[in-house]
Amino acid sequence: MIRVSRRRSLAFVVTCLAAPSIATVALADVGVATGTKLYEHTLLKAKPGLRDDLGKYIRANWFPMDQKGVENGIFTSYWLLEDTGENAAWDYVMVVGYPTELGFGEPRAIEVFQAIRKAHAEVKIGGKGLRELGEIVGNHRLKLTQSQ
């Protein structure tokens, strides 16, 4: 997991939303995967006192599935960013790179990931699943328009 300051995290997301051409520079800071055409950012907010557990849940459940997505060619990369500030609108951003501009809307990606998800046995953290640990508070699709 890459830890970044709240200011840098917010600047990264705002930059990506406001100026996609500048966003490619921000993406280069955390690693642009070769062949990536689209990034999807999923913003998550932990319930009070459960921030670390939410991060553990993502690493225990989403990372193994996303790795299988990379191995099956439906994802190009994935990483987790954590906002290090307090009282933020979100605590984590899960970033997934896709080899097509359709991202998860690409039919093969849907089919393959459904099989991956079905085969995955959920790992609960402290007996809690995602709904008990936090929630998804936003999702952004960012098209890569230029890279170095």
Side-chain angles (χ1 to χ4, degrees):
M1 174 173 52
I2 300 169
R3 291 183 69 91
V4 293
S5 70
R6 179 177 181 205
R7 174 177 283 152
R8 186 171 172 131
S9 296
L10 290 172
F12 175 76
V13 171
V14 169
T15 299
C16 291
L17 296 174
S21 62
I22 295 171
T24 58
V25 175
L27 288 170
D29 286 346
V30 291
V32 174
T34 303
T36 301
K37 305 283 188 222
L38 183 93
Y39 287 93
E40 292 208 22
H41 292 189
T42 302
L43 288 76
L44 299 107
K45 180 72 175 168
K47 291 194 176 177
L50 297 175
R51 183 179 185 148
D52 288 341
D53 285 348
L54 178 60
K56 290 175 187 175
Y57 181 89
I58 294 166
R59 288 187 293 278
N61 290 283
W62 292 17
F63 272 39
M65 291 190 292
D66 289 352
Q67 179 59 41
K68 289 187 188 306
V70 169
E71 292 166 5
N72 282 281
I74 62 169
F75 303 153
T76 58
S77 61
Y78 59 94
W79 64 87
L80 182 64
L81 301 172
E82 179 181 7
D83 187 317
T84 59
E86 294 183 25
N87 302 315
W90 50 270
D91 295 311
Y92 293 98
V93 177
M94 186 69 195
V95 181
V96 177
Y98 291 87
T100 71
E101 291 182 5
L102 293 176
F104 195 73
E106 199 264 317
R108 182 173 177 277
I110 295 169
E111 179 183 329
V112 170
F113 198 74
Q114 283 176 345
I116 291 169
R117 185 179 287 143
K118 185 176 181 180
H120 177 76
E122 181 184 29
V123 176
K124 294 197 175 203
I125 305 299
K128 297 179 173 129
L130 180 60
R131 288 185 179 150
E132 294 84 26
L133 296 171
E135 64 180 323
I136 295 171
V137 295
N139 190 1
H140 302 284
R141 300 179 100 197
L142 303 170
K143 178 181 172 185
L144 184 62
T145 59
Q146 179 182 345
S147 68
Q148 300 174 351

